[in-house]
C-alpha cells in the first residue's frame, strides 16, 4: 500500500466532510477512497472513522492520526515547494474567490498586470457574495471587503481600508423640495443590501464626533451590490456603498456623495487563505502583488 497516498486520501475525506465530496474534489471514486482509508485502519490496527448513512465522524484514534497526518503532509509539501521554488516560476492554477462587485469593478484594474508577470500561472476566478469553505471548495485564496470576519482557521491579511459613503443620483436630489440633512434622512428611501444584519439602519458620525442611528424606509432591497448600484444611478433613492463600488460613477457625475461630513464605519479588504506552515509560491506572489498595489490609496475622493 502507498501509505502517503492513503494519508492524503484520508485527510481529504476528513477536510471535505465525506467520501462523496472528497471524490468530487480529487477525481477518485468513492470506492477507491474508502479502500485507502480501510487499508490505513488495517495497517494501524484501529478504527479511524465512524461511518453512518448521514455523517462521518473521527474516532479518538482518528483525531490523533489526523493531526499527525496533516503535519506530515504539510512537511512533505513544504519540502517539495522549497526545493522547487528557487528555480521555478509559480505555475499551475490559482483558484481565486472574490465578491461580485469587487470582481466586476475592481479586480480588472490590476489583475492583468499580475498575469503578465507570471505567464505560467492560470487564474480560476469565482465571484460570489456567499462565504465559501476554502478547503472544501479547493480555493487557494479569497478576497473580501467586510467589517466582520468570523472565527476560523484561515489566515486574514488586511490589504486596504474601504471607505463607506452615502450616494444618490443628481436627478433624485433635484426632485427633493428641502435640503438633505442627517435629521431628514429618515424621510428618504434607502436602497438596501439585504445581506446585512440590520440593512435599514445607518450609523453616522459627524464632524464633532456626534453619533446618529437612523432607520430609513427601504424602497428596494436586493442581495446584489451591482443591482443596487444600478438602482442608485437610476435615481431610486439613497444608498450606502463601499467607495470602490461607486468610484467611477462619482467621477463622471452619475452619482453624488451626499452628507460628506458625516462618515460611516469603514470596512477592510482582506485576503483570506488556509493556514499552513508554508505558503505556496502562487499564493505568495499574489499576496505580495496585491499588498504592493494597495499600499497606494486607491479609493479616495
Amino acid at each position: 500500500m502507498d501509505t502517503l497516498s492513503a494519508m492524503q486520501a484520508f485527510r481529504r475525506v476528513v477536510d471535505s466532510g465525506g467520501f462523496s465530496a472528497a471524490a468530487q474534489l480529487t477525481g477518485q471514486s468513492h470506492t477507491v477512497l474508502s479502500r485507502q482509508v480501510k487499508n490505513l485502519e488495517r495497517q494501524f490496527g484501529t478504527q479511524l472513522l465512524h461511518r453512518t448513512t448521514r455523517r462521518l465522524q473521527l474516532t479518538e484514534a482518528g483525531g490523533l492520526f489526523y493531526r499527525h497526518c496533516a503535519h506530515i503532509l504539510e512537511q512533505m509539501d513544504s519540502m517539495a515547494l522549497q526545493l522547487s521554488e528557487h528555480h521555478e516560476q509559480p505555475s499551475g492554477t490559482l483558484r481565486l474567490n472574490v465578491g461580485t462587485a469587487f470582481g466586476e469593478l475592481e479586480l480588472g484594474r490590476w489583475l492583468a498586470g499580475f498575469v503578465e508577470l507570471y505567464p505560467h500561472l492560470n487564474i480560476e476566478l469565482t465571484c460570489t457574495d456567499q462565504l465559501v469553505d476554502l478547503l472544501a471548495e479547493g480555493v487557494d485564496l479569497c478576497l473580501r471587503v467586510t467589517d466582520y470576519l468570523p472565527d476560523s482557521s484561515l489566515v486574514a491579511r488586511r490589504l486596504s481600508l474601504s471607505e463607506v459613503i452615502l450616494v444618490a443620483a443628481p436627478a433624485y436630489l433635484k426632485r427633493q423640495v428641502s435640503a438633505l440633512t442627517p435629521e431628514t434622512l429618515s424621510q428618504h428611501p434607502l436602497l438596501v443590501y439585504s445581506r446585512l444584519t440590520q440593512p435599514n439602519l445607518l450609523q453616522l458620525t459627524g464632524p464633532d464626533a456626534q453619533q446618529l442611528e437612523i432607520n430609513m424606509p427601504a424602497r428596494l432591497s436586493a442581495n446584489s451590490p451591482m443591482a443596487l448600484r444600478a438602482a442608485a444611478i437610476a435615481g431610486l433613492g439613497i444608498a450606502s456603498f463601499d467607495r470602490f463600488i461607486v468610484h467611477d460613477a462619482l467621477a463622471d457625475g452619475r452619482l453624488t456623495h451626499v452628507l460628506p461630513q458625516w462618515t460611516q464605519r469603514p470596512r477592510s479588504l482582506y485576503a483570506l487563505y488556509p493556514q499552513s506552515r508554508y505558503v505556496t509560491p502562487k499564493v505568495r506572489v499574489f499576496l505580495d502583488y496585491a499588498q504592493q498595489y494597495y499600499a497606494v490609496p486607491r479609493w479616495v475622493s
Side-chain angles (χ1 to χ4, degrees), residues 242-293:
D242 290 277
R243 183 180 283 275
F244 80 87
I245 296 178
V246 293
H247 186 66
D248 59 338
L250 290 169
D252 62 23
R254 286 177 293 164
L255 290 174
T256 298
H257 185 180
V258 299
L259 301 178
Q261 299 302 314
W262 289 79
T263 62
Q264 298 177 74
R265 180 183 175 184
R267 288 189 268 264
S268 294
L269 169 63
Y270 289 97
L272 307 171
Y273 53 97
Q275 191 166 11
S276 175
R277 292 176 180 271
Y278 190 75
V279 179
T280 61
K282 61 184 178 182
V283 171
R284 179 177 51 77
V285 295
F286 185 89
L287 286 170
D288 291 345
Y289 188 92
Q291 187 89 64
Q292 183 177 8
Y293 180 83

Side-chain angles (χ1 to χ4, degrees), residues 7-292:
M7 290 169 63
Q8 291 170 331
F10 173 77
R11 186 185 184 188
R12 178 61 75 180
V13 168
V14 174
D15 287 345
S16 58
F19 287 97
S20 297
Q24 291 181 348
L25 288 172
T26 62
Q28 294 179 288
S29 69
H30 184 294
T31 302
V32 169
L33 293 172
S34 179
R35 184 184 305 121
Q36 288 177 305
V37 174
K38 287 180 180 178
N39 286 338
L40 284 173
E41 291 176 325
R42 190 178 300 111
Q43 178 180 350
F44 293 103
T46 187
Q47 186 175 357
L48 301 176
L49 297 173
H50 289 303
R51 304 167 179 84
T52 68
T53 56
R54 288 190 173 184
R55 59 181 299 185
L56 177 147
Q57 187 175 8
L58 285 167
T59 64
E60 184 177 353
L64 176 63
F65 181 77
Y66 176 83
R67 290 190 292 274
H68 285 287
C69 179
H71 176 72
I72 291 169
L73 292 175
E74 286 181 1
Q75 290 290 93
M76 293 291 293
D77 289 343
S78 175
M79 178 187 68
L81 287 167
Q82 289 185 60
L83 289 173
S84 64
E85 186 180 16
H86 294 291
H87 60 83
E88 289 185 4
Q89 281 195 343
S91 61
T93 299
L94 177 67
R95 294 175 176 84
L96 183 62
N97 181 283
V98 303
T100 53
F102 191 88
E104 293 186 38
L105 298 172
E106 176 66 16
L107 191 62
R109 299 180 185 275
W110 54 270
L111 186 61
F114 172 77
V115 171
E116 288 179 4
L117 281 178
Y118 302 101
H120 301 293
L121 193 60
N122 300 316
I123 307 296
E124 185 177 296
L125 176 63
T126 303
C127 296
T128 177
D129 293 320
Q130 294 182 339
L131 293 177
V132 297
D133 185 329
L134 270 63
L135 290 173
E137 299 289 337
V139 175
D140 295 305
L141 189 138
C142 176
L143 295 177
R144 280 292 183 273
V145 179
T146 182
D147 56 4
Y148 169 74
L149 286 176
D151 292 335
S152 74
S153 60
L154 299 176
V155 178
R157 182 189 292 190
R158 193 172 77 170
L159 302 176
S160 177
L161 277 179
S162 177
E163 183 185 8
V164 181
I165 61 175
L166 288 175
V167 299
Y172 174 82
L173 296 173
K174 287 179 181 178
R175 294 197 301 267
Q176 307 311 308
V177 176
S178 58
L180 182 65
T181 68
E183 291 73 24
T184 62
L185 263 180
S186 61
Q187 303 169 21
H188 292 264
L190 183 69
L191 307 179
V192 171
Y193 183 51
S194 59
R195 291 185 179 275
L196 297 177
T197 305
Q198 296 177 294
N200 292 64
L201 181 66
L202 285 182
Q203 296 176 313
L204 302 176
T205 301
D208 56 355
Q210 180 184 1
Q211 303 287 323
L212 287 181
E213 288 193 352
I214 303 169
N215 273 297
M216 299 176 64
R219 170 168 289 175
L220 172 67
S221 176
N223 66 351
S224 164
M226 297 302 293
L228 293 176
R229 179 180 185 269
I233 292 172
L236 294 188
I238 294 173
S240 174
F241 284 114
D242 290 277
R243 183 180 283 275
F244 80 87
I245 296 178
V246 293
H247 186 66
D248 59 338
L250 290 169
D252 62 23
R254 286 177 293 164
L255 290 174
T256 298
H257 185 180
V258 299
L259 301 178
Q261 299 302 314
W262 289 79
T263 62
Q264 298 177 74
R265 180 183 175 184
R267 288 189 268 264
S268 294
L269 169 63
Y270 289 97
L272 307 171
Y273 53 97
Q275 191 166 11
S276 175
R277 292 176 180 271
Y278 190 75
V279 179
T280 61
K282 61 184 178 182
V283 171
R284 179 177 51 77
V285 295
F286 185 89
L287 286 170
D288 291 345
Y289 188 92
Q291 187 89 64
Q292 183 177 8

